[in-house]
Amino acid sequence: MARVLITGGAGFIGSHAADALLAAGHEVRLLDNLSPQVHGSQRHRPLYLDKAAELVVGDITDALAIERALRGADMVLHLASSVGVGQSMYDIASYVRTNELGTAMLLEALSKRPVERLVVASSMSIYGEGLCRSADGSVVAPAERTIGQLRKGQWELRDDDGRPLEPLPTPESKQPTLSSIYALNKYAQERMCLIIAKAYGIPTVALRFFNVFGPHQALSNPYTGVLAIFAARLLNNRPPLVFEDGLQRRDFIHVTDVARACVLALESDRSDDVFNIGSGQSRTILSVAHDLARVMGRPGIAPEITGKYRAGDIRHCFADISKARDALGFEPRVGFEEGLDELAGYLADQIAEDRAEKATEELSQRGLVA
Ligand code: NAD
Ligand code: UD1
């Protein structure tokens, strides 16, 4: 049994990680500022949190709050972050403060009071574009699309001769390409944790989550993951707004699989390493918009393809999970269809304020959606 502190533990992934840790016999404390964008202006303790999880309400940039939360903790799962790729492109100082300064504050505390283990949430967004195969069969790391290409609606990745590139699973060895402030923050978090942990002898791994979905994702947060945004639209009988042509591909992994990966990483003896945590499968955003409408009983609400693009977005990325499989014994258990059916059940009695159009408007005014 270990006493585990989860930063950002009142959020979507944190709540499921808490459940999984409690089920595995660990004690759990959460440090979370109950950010209004995620938890609403009332900032109540979320009802979905297990009562056995102790909640310390405090900010990850507050040294005293961290010190209080760390008392008696054996291990730390560091999830506290602002998570919107689009929002990170204008709320820059706030993203750097929460994500980078917050991690720095945590690490200063850990340097004075090391724990047995640290696991930090990194992200697939650090890869930029995922690996691809070119028409001649070679494996390439595609360059970011230029603004000129995006303006012309040239969404698909192509080689120098204009031939289409075929997306491939992306392994941890791909060099990062940081195309949003959020991606830069996540890479900084990952590296800061690994650097400081090594210096102070704290066994640490970073988990690079792909697109996580499932219950408890903040439905009224217009900067959350795409499935929660689409769900909020559909609950209000409005069509999901799809950027580009909808054929961009992502890797959707169920949150209970991610929570299990966190437990595996905390319980493993691997250190100074990074692991992809995804399903290994890719889906288009357009297909998930249709799938979600169907399972939510609104098959008649067709997604609206906006033909717009969001600054900082990549075209395709999905995971090569062989390293996590081999080293952590990680295997996704919840298939996409099964996870989506379960999500529809959860959504059935949820009320969500749909703020997607307002958020898109906010990005448009700044030239970040065009
Ligand atoms: P979330 O927004 O549901 O949870 C984040 C939690 O952090 C929230 O409860 C929020 O209140 C808290 N928080 C925010 N700022 C804070 C601060 N200054 N001090 C203390 N707490 C603060 O997001 P999530 O999807 O559960 O993400 C958890 C982690 O996983 C993040 O680090 C995110 O970058 C990472 N991640 C998520 C995904 C995904 O698809 N959801 C994918 C890759 C990585
Ligand atoms: C998401 C997570 C990020 C995580 C990353 C890892 C959020 C907010 N972002 O980023 O924290 O690190 O996965 O995989 O959870 N889209 C639409 N319409 C919308 C919203 C999005 O078409 O209303 C499209 C986007 O343009 C993008 C795709 O859906 O092509 C996925 O977007 P999003 O869910 O924001 O995920 P990522 O940017 O991949």
Side-chain angles (χ1 to χ4, degrees):
M1 193 278 289
R3 284 164 296 186
V4 185
L5 171 65
I6 310 179
T7 73
F12 167 47
I13 297 174
S15 64
H16 288 275
D19 292 347
L21 284 163
L22 289 165
H26 301 292
E27 277 180 22
V28 173
R29 183 181 295 147
L30 318 170
L31 171 65
D32 201 298
N33 71 348
L34 300 179
S35 150
Q37 182 165 302
V38 182
H39 298 279
S41 54
Q42 304 294 318
R43 302 172 75 193
H44 292 312
R45 176 186 169 111
L47 293 172
Y48 56 63
L49 285 183
D50 192 308
K51 290 196 172 55
E54 180 193 351
L55 173 63
V56 175
V57 178
D59 202 285
I60 193 66
T61 58
D62 175 354
L64 283 176
I66 295 173
E67 194 196 308
R68 200 150 57 91
L70 268 177
R71 263 177 224 153
D74 306 311
M75 299 184 179
V76 175
L77 174 59
H78 180 36
L79 304 179
S81 269
S82 297
V83 303
V85 173
Q87 191 177 32
S88 77
M89 300 296 279
Y90 68 87
D91 217 355
I92 305 166
S94 155
Y95 268 70
V96 171
R97 186 181 312 112
T98 300
N99 296 350
E100 300 194 26
L101 179 63
T103 302
M105 298 298 285
L106 174 68
L107 291 171
E108 282 197 10
L110 291 179
S111 71
K112 292 178 209 140
R113 191 202 163 288
V115 284
E116 287 165 27
R117 235 182 136 66
L118 170 65
V119 173
V120 55
S122 182
S123 163
M124 134 282 201
S125 60
I126 69 160
Y127 291 123
E129 293 295 348
L131 282 189
C132 284
R133 195 190 330 268
S134 65
D136 66 10
S138 56
V139 175
V140 293
E144 248 181 84
R145 296 168 297 175
T146 63
I147 292 289
Q149 285 170 323
L150 294 172
R151 282 202 181 127
K152 282 188 241 157
Q154 293 171 352
W155 311 124
E156 211 41 83
L157 301 168
R158 294 184 181 276
D159 66 15
D160 293 342
D161 300 322
R163 292 172 300 184
L165 297 172
E166 177 203 348
L168 294 174
T170 296
E172 292 82 351
S173 53
K174 180 183 183 285
Q175 284 302 310
T177 308
L178 306 167
S179 54
S180 67
I181 294 295
Y182 172 77
L184 178 68
N185 292 163
K186 295 309 291 180
Y187 194 54
Q189 285 185 332
E190 171 186 313
R191 289 296 117 186
M192 281 159 86
C193 287
L194 293 172
I195 290 166
I196 294 301
K198 206 168 167 184
Y200 290 89
I202 305 170
T204 296
V205 298
L207 300 179
R208 295 176 175 169
F209 301 150
F210 280 62
N211 294 66
V212 188
F213 78 105
H216 310 172
Q217 197 159 23
L219 290 176
S220 301
N221 176 2
Y223 297 104
T224 189
V226 65
L227 269 175
I229 297 172
F230 286 177
R233 295 283 296 169
L234 290 163
L235 282 171
N236 289 285
N237 294 314
R238 295 186 188 134
L241 300 172
V242 174
F243 294 130
E244 306 184 15
D245 57 359
L247 300 183
Q248 61 271 39
R249 304 187 82 90
R250 291 291 187 281
D251 179 332
F252 290 91
I253 171 90
H254 195 261
V255 67
T256 54
D257 282 326
V258 170
R260 202 160 28 78
C262 293
V263 178
L264 287 169
L266 284 164
E267 291 179 344
S268 115
D269 56 7
R270 295 293 293 237
S271 67
D272 195 21
D273 217 343
V274 296
F275 297 100
N276 283 344
I277 302 297
S279 69
Q281 315 279 324
S282 76
R283 281 163 202 283
T284 67
I285 296 301
L286 186 58
S287 73
V288 303
H290 281 294
D291 291 344
L292 189 64
R294 179 176 39 79
V295 298
M296 286 177 67
R298 291 158 171 88
I301 306 186
E304 188 181 316
I305 299 175
T306 63
K308 294 183 173 172
Y309 64 89
R310 202 172 60 170
D313 261 352
I314 53 116
R315 181 66 175 170
H316 306 298
C317 193
F318 62 106
D320 178 336
I321 54 171
S322 39
K323 191 173 164 193
R325 231 181 220 136
D326 294 345
L328 302 177
F330 170 70
E331 194 63 52
R333 289 184 187 158
V334 184
F336 183 73
E337 302 294 343
E338 188 193 337
L340 213 57
D341 281 343
E342 184 225 15
L343 180 63
Y346 164 80
L347 290 169
D349 56 4
Q350 297 287 317
I351 299 166
E353 193 185 331
D354 164 32
R355 303 197 184 114
E357 264 165 56
K358 195 162 167 282
T360 303
E361 188 49 42
E362 225 159 58
L363 294 176
S364 301
Q365 279 169 7
R366 297 173 161 92
L368 297 171
V369 165

